[in-house]
Amino acid sequence: MWRPLAAAGLLAVAACTTPIEQSINPAAGDHKVTRIAVVPLTFEPFSPRDVLTEQDAKAASKVVTARVAEALIEWSQLEAVPPGDVGLWLRDAPSVSAPAEVGAALHSAFGVDALLTGQVRRYHAREGGPRGASRPASVRFELELRTPAGVLLWEGVYDEAQSSITDDLGSLGRASERGFRWVTAEALTRYGARELMRELAGHSAAWK
């Protein structure tokens, strides 16, 4: 059984030293991208242990979508159509089925060059407080950036479950940034969104 550690200095993050993975299509530079539609993320559990109630799944998707959209605006020079606008349009728009149809429709409606989509795969809230948690927060979400025609340009994954430094010595920097405390699932989400959007921003200059 996981047990909280008494010493705050022993707190840290992810079971792996690098909670961010991302890759870019070598042909992405052939596509001009200046305006992105942020599509509300869906919840698709990574494993049976990650299944949530419908209410909690909707709440998790909403939080992750919001943090990703905020990070895209803050860390890149790309224009973003916010997920609220995209979600309302998708709700009220004529029915479309294939992803390419959705992309073409959003391109026509908002003048976007790409769609940022994704899934929340795990979202477990911290149980306990910042100085002692009986279960740490754990978050995983996956993102894709595609052209309206469906060409994959970039993809990224954030997967982190907070753990002790004794389990992950390479996480000292992240632990220090978080004040050597057990953080919430939303705090993990904010970190993951920031790091992924910083990676995306690093590539975006080649797409203009």
Side-chain angles (χ1 to χ4, degrees):
M1 179 179 293
W2 192 95
R3 296 181 180 179
L5 297 175
L10 293 179
L11 299 184
V13 288
C16 59
T17 57
T18 306
I20 297 294
E21 295 181 8
Q22 59 97 36
S23 62
I24 184 172
N25 182 347
D30 297 334
H31 299 271
K32 179 181 179 181
V33 177
T34 59
R35 185 172 172 83
I36 294 176
V38 182
V39 180
L41 275 66
T42 59
F43 185 84
E44 299 180 17
F46 190 70
S47 74
R49 294 179 299 175
D50 301 318
V51 174
L52 300 178
T53 65
E54 181 178 356
Q55 181 178 357
D56 288 344
K58 288 182 178 179
S61 297
K62 184 176 181 180
V63 168
V64 177
T65 300
R67 299 295 85 79
V68 168
E70 291 168 0
L72 176 63
I73 294 170
E74 181 177 359
W75 292 100
S76 82
Q77 299 300 314
L78 299 164
E79 296 181 60
V81 179
D85 293 351
V86 175
L88 286 174
W89 186 89
L90 289 172
R91 186 192 67 185
D92 298 334
S95 177
V96 290
S97 55
E101 293 178 339
V102 174
L106 287 173
H107 170 72
S108 177
F110 295 104
V112 296
D113 309 301
L115 282 64
L116 185 63
T117 64
Q119 300 83 37
V120 181
R121 305 279 274 150
R122 184 173 64 248
Y123 197 90
H124 295 309
R126 178 190 70 194
E127 294 181 1
R131 293 293 182 181
S134 58
R135 187 179 77 169
S138 179
V139 174
R140 178 187 174 104
F141 57 89
E142 303 166 1
L143 303 175
E144 290 186 346
L145 184 71
R146 293 181 179 270
T147 69
V151 177
L152 179 65
L153 303 177
W154 172 92
E155 58 185 339
V157 177
Y158 170 65
D159 188 351
E160 182 169 6
Q162 196 171 13
S163 63
S164 68
I165 280 181
T166 55
D167 292 332
D168 182 12
L169 295 176
S171 66
L172 180 60
R174 298 196 303 277
S176 178
E177 178 183 339
R178 295 165 183 170
F180 297 100
R181 292 171 180 261
W182 300 108
V183 299
T184 63
E186 183 168 0
L188 290 184
T189 299
R190 193 181 301 275
Y191 168 83
R194 182 191 75 189
E195 294 304 304
L196 283 176
M197 292 303 98
R198 287 173 66 174
E199 292 286 350
L200 178 61
H203 300 297
S204 63
W207 302 339
K208 295 184 178 181

